[in-house]
Amino acid sequence: MNPFPDEPRHPLTDALDAAARTPEAEAYEVPVELVRRRVGRRRAGRALGVSAVAVLVVVGTASALPRVLPRAVEEVAADAPPECRLTLEDLASDDGAPDGWTAALTAQVAGTVARGDWPLSTSFVLESPPTVSLVSPPLGWTYGTSAVVLRDGDVVAVLDMFGAPTREEASRIAVDAEPLPFPLVTEGPAATVDCATGEPVTLPAGDYEVVATQTVGWTFEKVGGTFVARATSDPTRVTVGPDADVTSAGCGTTEELVSLTDPRANPAPFAIEIDPPAPTAGGEFLALDARVVSIATAPVSSGFTGYGRVAVAQDGVIVGGESAMPEPYVSVDLDPGESFPVIAGAPLVACGTDDTPLPPGDYEVWVMAEFDSGGGNFDWRAAGGPVPLEITE
Amino acid sequence: MADADDTLAVLARDRGRALFGYAYLLAGDAHLAEDLVQDALVRTFARRRSGFTPDDAEAYVRRAILTAFLDGARRRGRWAAVRHLVGSTSEAVRDPASGVGTGLDVRAALATLAPQERAAAVLRWCEDLTVPEVAARMGLADGTVKRYLSTAGRKLEALLGPLPDGTDEVAPLTTGRSRP
């Protein structure tokens, strides 16, 4: 309401409405089908984010790859990612680098995967020809990464990421990225997409292998120019934990969350506070009021996505919740005791399902977030909770 | 998937233009606004969200638009320092003040601001959020937001006249204005 009715409304006051009535807005329609297709590809997944985390680099070459035959076409869903239909030779067929340069990629999935997104890290190494004396080191960026999941020689799933373009395609892509020194390291969770259904999937327990292909570009600080290379990793083994970890214990236990709330055991300078939520019906979306609080004794600068991961638990077993939104990077500069909000929410459905409401009862809620400890290393983790939650009919 | 898809369809039909307008004010460019809206929708709906109403979704999408805009601006800012090394750029060089003149409007005025200033200004004076709310949305300290708003306020007042009432953080910048 304008408290000064005799004064004309300021144009900024009506700017949002006006912007929605511009000719551009009037002509605009959300490309719903395109969004649906992109959502289908990226559901529960994320593109890898660049970080400075070092991983063991083992040079692999395409020639070392075992030949893997594609699965029978009828076993691959029509809308499955195209990598489901590739052999490893196909995947590596465009590998190479110009003018005597050597490119190599290492892929690694840390630890045993229980469920949810896979923590894939890659390292792209670039070596100059031995006869070349560089005036300045190459600075590179990543165009995309494709990764397939193998079991018994079959491509059974792919990791949902921005796929690696061919070198020719990459040479035509406009770049909007910060060039970084080599090796180019990427790290982050990626969802597994089932080749048989085209949908995100929690793979059955067992041993798998991951092979990644990555396309990168680089330039030189003092010379300029743009160059493109692509490389495929050796297979790296991944173990998916037993189903019992998923079914009988829900989505894990709260043991780790409990430890994160202990400042004596957790070096992160943050804690997370959560306001107890109102009773909420099973299946409804639970929006939490949460905030990260600095427990440091001096000002601290960090960053995170702005979103927290929600865990709904009962008797120490996580039975529902949702991963954090992965993409944005929000800088946080907090004085001791200062706080700012964490966006946290989740549908109250059983974990591992899309729409099975959690039954009525008394639960507890946790929120966890990962923070940048410096240089893009998200190895500070903070948790808040438990706070009680009553789920109603 | 049906619930989320229906929510997407409803949101796109009923609020698509409003979301575009929000992105348009932030970005100042229609094509970039389209990209921001589309990317924000994908980010929001890529997470399965049963029981997600269009209102819930719109709040998430708006946040995603803002964070994508700020994140993109941050990356472009860092990239700008070295992008000349990669040769020509497809982005046309734009004089931010060129749109200000006889066709003066809010978007042209906002285009004179740096991305963070523009985001703060849109949230504060177009969305009518408080400074702490703006700070929370942008993930910044209150003081940082006040600094952005102070700078933005000076520029906007020079182009659009005194800012809306209740803008205490820049009130000293407005001289000769009296309230009843």
Side-chain angles (χ1 to χ4, degrees):
Chain A
M1 187 179 75
N2 182 4
F4 309 108
D6 55 328
E7 292 185 2
R9 287 171 66 84
H10 194 280
L12 281 171
T13 307
D14 296 322
L16 280 173
D17 288 340
R21 293 193 304 268
T22 57
E24 294 90 340
E26 294 287 346
Y28 175 71
E29 286 189 11
V30 174
V32 174
E33 289 311 312
L34 177 58
V35 171
R36 284 194 212 283
R37 284 199 297 274
R38 289 185 61 193
V39 165
R41 288 281 290 115
R42 290 192 55 187
R43 213 147 217 174
R46 62 160 294 179
L48 291 178
V50 174
S51 83
V53 175
V55 296
L56 179 64
V57 175
V58 180
V59 176
T61 62
S63 61
L65 294 171
R67 176 172 176 78
V68 177
L69 295 175
R71 311 184 79 203
V73 171
E74 60 268 23
E75 293 180 34
V76 178
D79 59 350
E83 291 87 351
C84 288
R85 294 181 176 80
L86 298 182
T87 67
L88 291 192
E89 286 179 343
D90 292 335
L91 203 61
S93 63
D94 192 45
D95 283 4
D99 300 331
W101 287 73
T102 304
L105 179 71
T106 299
Q108 193 172 62
V109 176
T112 297
V113 178
R115 64 177 301 118
D117 296 348
W118 285 24
L120 176 72
S121 59
T122 65
S123 177
F124 198 105
V125 177
L126 188 66
E127 293 184 1
S128 61
T131 56
V132 170
S133 178
L134 295 179
V135 177
S136 59
L139 297 173
W141 55 89
T142 302
Y143 286 106
T145 307
S146 299
V148 297
V149 180
L150 305 159
R151 189 171 199 189
D152 300 329
D154 282 337
V155 177
V156 296
V158 302
L159 298 185
D160 191 13
M161 298 179 292
F162 289 121
T166 66
R167 286 186 287 158
E168 196 279 326
E169 290 169 338
S171 67
R172 290 184 278 110
I173 293 175
V175 178
D176 184 9
E178 178 191 12
L180 296 171
F182 283 86
L184 293 179
V185 176
T186 66
E187 184 183 67
T192 48
V193 178
D194 190 355
C195 286
T197 64
E199 289 289 316
V201 65
T202 296
L203 293 169
D207 292 330
Y208 297 82
E209 289 178 310
V210 168
V211 176
T213 293
Q214 193 170 71
T215 308
V216 308
W218 73 93
T219 186
F220 297 94
E221 191 172 4
K222 295 180 180 174
V223 180
T226 303
F227 308 90
V228 177
R230 181 168 149 145
T232 299
S233 73
D234 274 345
T236 184
R237 172 169 292 208
V238 181
T239 300
V240 174
D243 283 348
D245 290 346
V246 172
T247 54
S248 65
C251 297
T253 72
T254 58
E255 186 177 347
E256 186 181 10
L257 294 169
V258 171
S259 68
L260 289 176
T261 60
D262 181 357
R264 293 167 301 180
N266 184 0
F270 301 119
I272 291 179
E273 295 179 350
I274 315 167
D275 293 339
T280 307
E284 292 296 313
F285 190 84
L286 173 70
L288 292 167
D289 288 324
R291 66 204 70 84
V292 58
V293 182
S294 171
I295 56 174
T297 56
V300 60
S301 295
S302 180
F304 77 128
T305 66
Y307 295 83
R309 177 180 177 181
V310 176
V312 180
Q314 202 169 37
D315 300 326
V317 175
I318 297 171
V319 296
E322 191 172 52
S323 299
M325 295 277 284
E327 302 259 3
Y329 184 96
V330 178
S331 298
V332 289
D333 301 298
L334 296 179
D335 290 327
E338 194 179 6
S339 67
F340 75 87
V342 175
I343 302 169
L348 294 176
V349 298
C351 59
T353 74
D354 294 335
D355 52 12
T356 303
L358 286 169
D362 293 326
Y363 294 80
E364 59 191 33
V365 177
W366 300 75
V367 172
M368 192 274 282
E370 296 172 341
F371 296 86
D372 187 353
S373 63
N377 293 307
F378 284 79
D379 52 10
W380 277 345
R381 296 192 299 162
V387 296
L389 167 68
E390 180 188 356
I391 294 183
T392 59
E393 288 281 4
Chain B
M1 183 187 267
D3 283 351
D5 285 349
D6 290 344
T7 303
L8 171 61
V10 171
L11 182 67
R13 183 192 65 217
D14 295 346
R15 302 297 297 164
R17 288 173 187 169
L19 292 171
F20 174 87
Y22 179 62
Y24 196 12
L25 267 193
L26 287 172
D29 177 274
H31 293 300
L32 183 53
E34 290 181 10
D35 290 345
L36 286 173
V37 172
Q38 187 184 129
D39 288 348
L41 287 167
V42 171
R43 288 179 179 187
T44 301
F45 285 92
R47 296 281 165 180
R48 293 169 183 273
R49 300 177 186 282
S50 300
F52 211 37
T53 69
D55 284 347
D56 294 332
E58 182 174 354
Y60 267 83
V61 172
R62 281 178 178 264
R63 295 233 179 180
I65 288 172
L66 175 67
T67 49
F69 168 70
L70 291 171
D71 198 42
R74 180 172 56 84
R75 283 189 287 109
R76 282 190 294 275
R78 292 193 301 191
W79 173 237
V82 291
R83 85 176 313 154
H84 64 285
L85 301 172
V86 195
S88 62
T89 168
S90 59
E91 289 183 12
V93 176
R94 188 174 60 174
D95 175 3
S98 62
V100 181
T102 54
L104 179 67
D105 62 12
V106 170
R107 277 184 288 116
L110 289 171
T112 65
L113 307 180
Q116 284 81 2
E117 295 168 358
R118 192 155 68 235
V122 168
L123 294 173
R124 177 70 183 93
W125 296 310
C126 302
E127 281 215 81
D128 200 26
L129 300 182
T130 65
V131 169
E133 288 170 335
V134 175
R137 288 275 185 95
M138 295 181 68
L140 300 171
D142 288 6
T144 306
V145 168
K146 286 180 181 175
R147 195 166 66 246
Y148 284 144
L149 289 173
S150 177
T151 306
R154 281 191 185 91
K155 296 177 182 175
L156 292 177
E157 286 196 328
L159 296 167
L160 299 174
L163 292 170
D165 290 304
T167 56
D168 292 341
E169 63 275 2
V170 292
L173 301 173
T174 307
T175 57
R177 185 180 197 192
S178 61
R179 297 185 181 185

